[in-house]
Amino acid sequence: MKKVSKIIIMLLLAIIILSVPHLIKSDYTLHVVNLAGIYAICVMGLVFLLGFAGQLSLGHSALMSIGAYTTGLLAVELNLPFVITFPAAIVVSMLFALLIGIPTLKLKSFYLAMATRGLNIALFIVLINWKRFTHGADGIVNIPRPSFAGFTIQTERAWFYFIVAILIVCYIASRNIEKSRIGRSFKAVKEGELAAEVMGIDVYRTKILAFVLSSALAGTAGCLFAHLNQFICPNDFNITQSVTLLSMSIFGGSEYLLGGVVGAYVLTFLPEALRFLQTYARFINGILILLIMILAPSGLFGVVSSLFEKLKRQKKLDPPNNSPNIADVEGMEN
Amino acid sequence: MSGILPQLLFSGLAIGCIYGLVGLGFIQVYNAVGLTNFAQGEFVMLGAYLFVSAVVIWKAPFWVGFLFLLVGMAVIGFLFTRGVYKPTYKAGRFAFLLASVGLSMALQDLVVLIWGPVPLYMPRLVSESSFNIGNVFINPQHIIIIGSTILLLIIQYLIFQKTPLGKMMRATAQDQFAATLSGIKVPLMIIFTFVNSSILAGIAGFLVGPVFSVTPSMGASAMLKGFVGCTIGGWGSIPGAVLGGILVGIIEIFSSFYISSAYKDAIVFLVLILFLLFKPKGIFGETVSEKV
């Protein structure tokens, strides 16, 4: 019975997803949907890091920029096909995560936060100033569309299916990792490093693994971003962008992969809907983070799931509430 | 060329004093509650803006402006404790950190909304023209920075070592539970610590304002360098934070002279990574009691 309902839900979801690009008429809106999908991939990486392993990165857009610039430079300067630049982008961003993770993850958690913010600032400076290599503030233009066996992903509609496919693959992979031994060791490290160490988990390695996996997702997102927009510049990946990614992950609930996805879509569309408030965008974003942390630190999914649990508990509590009456009646009879 | 070395050292020392003050505020909060405040840099910026709006916009005399800065920063520190620290410190490990990140971003934009995006000019106490001592050109503002930092450090030392209030604050930083048992009002001491650190940041903004212009983003890089200074000095060590900050200032000035001024922030970051790799406890780290 449960399996049947699951299949029905999956089918409904598939129909909804497949019909989205047919319902949305304007190319621009579809482009925003696609961007949100790319951010969702990156935010899942943040969920990995923050929600599962309990490590904070304030510079995830820097890791995205590494993916984007790797694929952009390889594709434009060396004319390499997407099949090669895509894995290269992921590998290089994982290497950068190793570079930052090895010195900082042995230490207390705020070191990673500050080091990733530092990476964000430093990389931005390098991207702007190292003109011969990165093209400076002008950015990289004319990044080719990816093509496989003669078929090029050109239209926004094609991009929609492409991104959703990658998003689903990333989600399933992440979900499997979450449920595996690795995912459990992430959560053990988050709950308490000493306790995890006692249980035989190599805390340092586990944290590095979480950061590197997270960076792989950021690199994937960065690579897709470069090929979707066909243009990247250092400003696409500044500190504000990193904080926006963070607020996406905590809005949905940093412990839930799907929460991150929902957060990415909502917070990409919110500024579009509130365009008249555009001058206040950063202000609103900052206040939003502040309010979430004060009012509901577990995010949207956290609030909803705790509500469900409360309902469940109430249902379970109901019979015992009635039983005293029965006991009273029985007592009277005696 | 021989004249350039003391010149660079002197400028580095002056800029480093600012980072030292930012780091000092970081360390005090860290020692008291074990958290890092990512809005500390924005407090530097707010201090500068408060002073500028009093002196330039309302045409108040200098000392009134300074008083306004002190009172304003104290109020901000109090509100920060009540509005950000208190509701978040129990809600998990990163709630406070993330909330302060959010606040710092909101403050940067709030400043633009109130004072506009154009950099403001901060009036100086002393003349702008620099003078020479031997071969060294000296910017009078640098002397003010160094002098005020020394004065502030002496005041901080007296407060924390000699007054009952300072002793209670130190007791709170060492062990909150034991402090409570001794009848110290720990929440009040935490408020005082935040107020003190935000006043320090505000004064840093007042001192650095005439050197750089007063902009919404002036705090962001000061915060990173204050943090690097704390790391070099060793987290938890108060002299370490100040000396580390000064070292960062000197590194920054030297690297912008000998390597490239465009890359100076990236070089400071490189120094951070190198320190974390090879000497993560910092220079004064050995004497620090580990907080678990």
Side-chain angles (χ1 to χ4, degrees):
Chain A
M1 199 49 211
K2 236 181 180 176
K3 246 188 183 169
V4 174
S5 64
K6 223 177 189 180
I7 290 171
I8 290 173
I9 288 175
M10 293 284 241
L11 274 175
L12 274 175
L13 217 70
I15 291 169
I16 292 171
I17 289 172
L18 288 176
S19 60
V20 163
H22 297 275
L23 294 174
I24 297 171
K25 287 282 173 280
S26 96
D27 254 9
Y28 175 74
T29 316
L30 204 52
H31 183 75
V32 178
V33 173
N34 287 338
L35 271 182
I38 288 174
Y39 289 137
I41 293 171
C42 186
V43 170
M44 279 202 294
L46 270 175
V47 170
F48 247 101
L49 192 66
L50 180 65
F52 296 171
Q55 307 300 315
L56 178 61
S57 159
L58 293 177
H60 245 55
S61 76
L63 296 169
M64 252 181 96
S65 78
I66 290 166
Y69 269 84
T70 307
T71 190
L73 287 173
L74 286 178
V76 170
E77 305 280 342
L78 301 177
N79 286 321
L80 289 175
F82 185 74
V83 196
I84 294 172
T85 61
F86 183 51
I90 296 173
V91 169
V92 174
S93 31
M94 284 164 95
L95 284 179
F96 262 83
L98 268 182
L99 217 68
I100 300 297
I102 285 172
T104 51
L105 286 170
K106 242 182 217 164
L107 311 165
K108 278 180 202 160
S109 48
F110 62 82
Y111 279 100
L112 181 70
M114 205 38 120
T116 42
R117 168 160 281 205
L119 174 75
N120 213 164
I121 294 172
L123 203 62
F124 186 76
I125 291 169
V126 172
L127 290 181
I128 290 242
N129 288 302
W130 195 7
K131 292 202 178 89
R132 228 182 301 160
F133 186 60
T134 64
H135 302 228
D138 301 337
I140 302 175
V141 290
N142 293 329
I143 299 168
R145 299 284 199 191
S147 57
F148 307 94
F151 178 72
T152 310
I153 300 169
Q154 194 72 45
T155 59
E156 289 292 342
R157 195 177 285 180
W159 267 101
F160 176 83
Y161 294 123
F162 183 52
I163 287 171
V164 165
I166 292 181
L167 183 64
I168 289 173
V169 169
C170 288
Y171 174 75
I172 292 172
S174 307
R175 185 83 188 147
N176 284 339
I177 293 174
E178 185 193 356
K179 284 180 172 167
S180 74
R181 193 177 158 273
I182 301 170
R184 287 196 300 274
S185 66
F186 286 168
K187 287 177 181 173
V189 167
K190 186 192 179 187
E191 290 305 321
E193 295 192 2
L194 194 64
E197 194 99 58
V198 169
M199 287 192 291
I201 294 168
D202 188 335
V203 170
Y204 178 49
R205 270 200 194 169
T206 306
K207 288 199 278 189
I208 287 186
L209 185 63
F211 189 43
V212 169
L213 279 176
S214 170
S215 181
L217 286 171
T220 308
C223 175
L224 293 174
F225 182 90
H227 288 281
L228 172 68
N229 280 353
Q230 299 189 284
F231 164 70
I232 46 174
C233 68
N235 235 344
D236 292 332
F237 310 101
N238 54 18
I239 290 182
T240 308
Q241 189 57 47
S242 288
V243 179
T244 308
L245 289 169
L246 258 180
S247 59
M248 287 170 180
S249 75
I250 60 174
F251 178 83
S254 64
E255 292 181 13
Y256 305 87
L257 283 168
L258 271 183
V261 175
V262 170
Y265 278 98
V266 171
L267 289 195
T268 311
F269 269 93
L270 203 63
E272 297 291 326
L274 304 172
R275 186 162 292 186
F276 59 96
L277 291 172
Q278 202 162 34
T279 31
Y280 311 95
R282 271 158 49 90
F283 180 71
I284 293 172
N285 198 348
I287 294 294
L288 182 72
I289 294 178
L290 191 63
L291 286 181
I292 292 171
M293 282 297 118
I294 289 172
L295 301 175
S298 54
L300 189 66
F301 271 53
V303 170
V304 170
S305 79
S306 69
L307 272 180
F308 265 108
E309 252 165 47
K310 240 183 212 168
L311 279 178
K312 260 187 200 167
R313 218 174 292 151
Q314 258 174 3
K315 264 185 194 167
K316 273 181 194 164
L317 280 178
D318 274 343
N321 277 348
N322 297 335
S323 53
N325 293 337
I326 298 165
D328 281 352
V329 173
E330 279 170 354
M332 295 252 295
E333 272 176 4
N334 284 338
Chain B
M1 267 317 260
S2 63
I4 203 72
L5 210 66
Q7 172 83 56
L8 292 178
L9 269 176
F10 183 74
S11 320
L13 178 66
I15 298 302
C17 281
I18 301 296
Y19 303 150
L21 286 180
V22 177
L24 189 60
F26 255 139
I27 281 287
Q28 285 176 353
V29 168
Y30 177 75
N31 282 349
V33 295
L35 297 167
T36 28
N37 173 15
F38 273 71
Q40 188 79 4
E42 274 58 44
F43 288 177
V44 173
M45 165 202 78
L46 281 178
Y49 271 99
L50 286 179
F51 183 77
V52 166
S53 54
V55 171
V56 177
I57 300 173
W58 303 326
K59 307 247 184 309
F62 237 81
W63 65 272
V64 174
F66 191 70
L67 213 65
F68 180 66
L69 177 151
L70 292 183
V71 174
M73 289 318 292
V75 171
I76 288 168
F78 173 75
L79 291 178
F80 182 72
T81 327
R82 276 311 170 87
V84 179
Y85 170 72
K86 207 176 160 219
T88 54
Y89 79 106
K90 273 185 185 157
R93 150 146 155 193
F94 291 121
F96 173 77
L97 229 162
L98 280 169
S100 69
V101 169
L103 180 73
S104 82
M105 194 156 132
L107 282 179
Q108 278 186 32
D109 241 30
L110 186 71
V111 162
V112 176
L113 296 177
I114 298 177
W115 284 283
V118 186
L120 295 177
Y121 169 78
M122 188 187 270
R124 293 159 181 252
L125 261 176
V126 285
S127 75
E128 268 177 57
S129 55
S130 40
F131 54 91
N132 311 14
I133 299 177
N135 272 340
V136 185
F137 281 98
I138 294 206
N139 181 344
Q141 183 65 27
H142 285 175
I143 292 185
I144 299 238
I145 291 175
I146 295 170
S148 322
T149 305
I150 293 171
L151 189 69
L152 267 178
L153 290 180
I154 292 171
I155 292 173
Q156 290 286 309
Y157 175 81
L158 290 178
I159 290 177
F160 276 91
Q161 301 292 331
K162 303 294 178 196
T163 66
L165 176 68
K167 283 178 183 162
M168 286 193 280
M169 279 158 81
R170 277 197 298 144
T172 306
Q174 269 173 14
D175 190 335
Q176 289 196 11
F177 183 63
T180 314
L181 288 184
S182 334
I184 294 171
K185 291 195 176 78
V186 167
L188 194 66
M189 290 307 125
I190 290 176
I191 290 178
F192 276 130
T193 309
F194 272 108
V195 166
N196 188 42
S197 94
S198 65
I199 287 178
L200 280 178
I203 295 178
F206 158 73
L207 289 173
V208 81
V211 182
F212 307 131
S213 48
V214 180
T215 62
S217 59
M218 68 185 281
S221 86
M223 187 200 63
L224 184 71
K225 285 162 196 166
F227 182 90
V228 177
C230 289
T231 308
I232 291 178
W235 276 90
S237 156
I238 284 176
V242 177
L243 290 178
I246 290 173
L247 205 62
V248 171
I250 291 173
I251 292 170
E252 180 186 328
I253 297 289
F254 268 79
S255 59
S256 53
F257 183 78
Y258 286 109
I259 304 171
S260 147
S261 66
Y263 284 107
K264 64 179 188 197
D265 285 10
I267 289 163
V268 169
F269 170 69
L270 201 65
V271 170
L272 171 72
I273 292 296
L274 289 178
F275 253 88
L276 290 180
L277 260 180
F278 297 111
K279 204 153 174 39
K281 278 189 170 171
I283 297 169
F284 294 88
E286 262 71 39
T287 51
V288 183
S289 60
E290 195 63 39
K291 247 194 174 155
V292 183

